Amino acid sequence: MANQLVSPVLLSPAFDPTTVPKDRHPPFVKYQGIWDTGATGSVITQKVVSQLKLKPTGMANVHGAHGVRTVNTHLVNIVLPSEVGIPGVRVTEGDLPAPTDVLIGMGIIGQGDFAVTNFKERTVFSFRTPSLEVIDFETKAVPDNLPIPLNGPCPCNSGRKYKSCCGRARRR
């Protein structure tokens, strides 16, 4: 099982993709991004700031493990896997463990559907925006091939034993 969710991320200085012709877009640069549901906003490193020649757009107080720091903010356009593009993202400047240069926080993750699976010890995550449906694994039916003890609690969260609830239909 993966202990980090990492993917390639494309970044450029912010521009309005609806008004800037394609041949005049600033170039996108590929970076390694880490997805962090515990982070409120998104973060870029000084390396990204230098390579993209970004100018600060303001300052922000960032709360982290080492206390509160005041850091520069920047505006960038982000392209995530599956060609999900998000223009004009306000990011803060910060330190990230190499080789990661971008942290994707809940400000972006919360705009769409984010799913993580670990089927047969292969961790896969996906993201799409806009959100298309409610994905709730708690309400999904239990697969027929999943062994559930008859006297155990029913996975539908009814509070009853499996044999007296959803398991009754399977025994018929």
Side-chain angles (χ1 to χ4, degrees), residues 5-123:
L5 300 175
V6 178
S7 72
V9 176
L10 300 176
L11 294 178
S12 78
F15 64 90
D16 183 348
T18 63
T19 61
V20 177
K22 268 199 167 179
D23 62 340
R24 296 201 178 244
H25 286 186
F28 281 89
V29 179
K30 187 176 189 178
Y31 296 99
Q32 194 73 350
I34 187 166
W35 296 66
D36 187 349
T37 59
T40 304
S42 295
V43 179
I44 58 174
T45 61
Q46 176 58 48
K47 172 184 163 185
V48 174
V49 172
S50 296
Q51 286 181 342
L52 297 180
K53 298 179 174 74
L54 297 174
K55 303 291 183 222
T57 57
M59 304 286 283
N61 289 327
V62 176
H63 300 262
H66 302 293
V68 180
R69 291 182 12 194
T70 302
V71 298
N72 288 328
T73 61
H74 303 276
L75 287 177
V76 297
N77 286 7
I78 298 178
V79 178
L80 302 168
S82 302
E83 297 185 13
V84 173
I86 305 172
V89 177
R90 181 178 179 248
V91 295
T92 57
E93 195 175 315
D95 298 323
L96 297 170
T100 305
D101 286 303
V102 182
L103 182 143
I104 306 298
M106 286 304 295
I108 291 175
I109 296 170
Q111 293 183 34
D113 296 328
F114 179 74
V116 180
T117 59
N118 192 41
F119 186 67
K120 295 186 178 180
E121 297 185 22
R122 181 172 173 251
T123 301

